[in-house]
Amino acid sequence: MAKLKVKWVKSAIRFPERQKRTIKALGFKKLQSEVIHNDTPQIRGMIDHVKHLVVCEEVSE
């Protein structure tokens, strides 16, 4: 299964609480951290919801 590497690049301050919860649900603890997830429609939807706060790239493993 394909993997996605997601990096949190912009602070969620002054953004809606729902987007802050999405950042936490993706597994981020601190700004500038990276997480790797399986490429599923659910994860893609979460990334799309906060696309202005994160950077995503596909990882081939």
Side-chain angles (χ1 to χ4, degrees), residues 10-61:
K10 186 174 180 184
S11 175
I13 294 173
R14 291 202 261 160
F15 286 98
E17 185 64 30
R18 183 174 176 190
Q19 292 178 12
K20 292 175 186 175
R21 288 195 312 259
T22 302
I23 290 290
K24 276 195 176 260
L26 282 168
F28 292 111
K29 302 288 185 196
K30 294 183 175 184
L31 193 61
Q32 299 300 322
S33 61
E34 294 180 347
V35 293
I36 296 179
H37 288 286
N38 290 328
D39 189 3
T40 63
Q42 293 83 6
I43 295 296
R44 287 278 184 168
M46 293 169 74
I47 292 169
D48 189 53
H49 188 75
V50 292
K51 64 186 169 213
H52 53 286
L53 303 175
V54 299
V55 173
C56 180
E57 66 181 50
E58 291 187 20
V59 177
S60 59
E61 288 188 29

